Amino acid sequence: MTEGLRERKKRETRRHISDTAIGLFAERGFEHVTIAEVAAAAGVSANTVYNYFETKENLVLPPDQASAQRLADMVRDRRPGEGAVPAVLRTLREEVRRRDRRLGLTDGFGRVFVMMRAAPTLTARLEDLGRQMTDALTAVLAEETDTGPADPLPRVVAWQVGALHELVYTEIGRRTAAGEDPRTIAAAVLDILDTAEDLLGGRILTYAIREEPRCSE
C-alpha cells in the first residue's frame, strides 16, 4: 500500500523529533534535557512531542523499534525447515549486512550508547526489555513445541538467544564508542554470530524446526 501524504508527514515529524531529542540527550545527558527543550529545538509544541511519544524514554527507545516481541517475531517468521535459533541468527545477519538503524550501525551511535548507559531510567528500561524479550520468546518456543510449563528447555534456549542478542548490541556500542566505523563493526558482529553458531550444539540448532508444507496428492 502506497504511503499517503499525511502518513509520510507524520513519520517525518516523528523522526525529526526523535533525532533532535537524541542529539540533545547525547550532548547534555538524558536527565538534563526537558521535553520543553526538545520541543523548542524541534520547532514543535510540547503537546506535539507527547502526541508522538508518550514518555521521555520512548524518544530513545520507541516501542515500535524496541519491541518485547522482537526475538519471538523472528521465530514466528522462520522459514519451513528452519529451526528457531538459526532463524534468529539469519535475521540478525541480515540486519547487520544492511546496517539496520535499530542495531545502531550508524555514525554517532557511540555517543548515544554512552548516554543510554549513563541514564538509570534508560538502563532499567533496557534490562526490563531484555527480560520481556526472553519471556516472549520462551512462550513462543513452548507453544510451538507443545512443551509443558515444567520443561525448562524453552527457557534455557530463550536465555541463550537473549544473551547473544544482548552481546550483539553491547559489541556494537563498545566498538562505536571506540571510534570504529560501521563497516568494521558489522564485520566483527558477523564474526561473533558465526562463532556463536559454531559453539552451539546440534540440539539447539535443530530445536523447534518449522515443518515443511505437505504436498497435497
Side-chain angles (χ1 to χ4, degrees), residues 73-188:
D73 285 342
M74 291 181 188
V75 171
R76 291 189 187 100
D77 295 338
R78 68 192 185 283
R79 300 165 178 170
E82 187 174 41
V85 175
V88 173
L89 290 169
R90 173 180 55 79
T91 305
L92 289 174
R93 286 187 178 108
E94 290 171 354
E95 291 180 350
V96 171
R97 290 187 179 111
R98 66 172 180 262
R99 311 292 193 271
D100 197 297
R101 177 182 171 87
R102 80 186 70 192
L103 288 180
L105 284 170
T106 55
D107 293 327
F109 178 69
R111 294 171 64 232
V112 176
F113 181 79
V114 171
M115 174 272 293
M116 292 171 66
R117 289 299 183 186
T121 57
L122 290 177
T123 301
R125 177 86 168 262
L126 285 170
E127 291 175 353
D128 187 54
L129 180 62
R131 286 190 293 269
Q132 291 178 32
M133 283 187 185
T134 302
D135 289 343
L137 179 56
T138 299
V140 168
L141 293 174
E143 178 183 354
E144 297 206 5
T145 58
D146 195 23
T147 302
D151 192 329
L153 186 56
R155 179 159 294 277
V156 171
V157 173
W159 274 89
Q160 288 187 324
V161 172
L164 177 59
H165 184 256
E166 181 178 354
L167 174 61
V168 166
Y169 277 90
T170 300
E171 190 71 6
I172 291 172
R174 182 182 70 81
R175 288 177 175 272
T176 304
E180 295 185 22
D181 64 274
R183 175 178 294 183
T184 301
I185 297 169

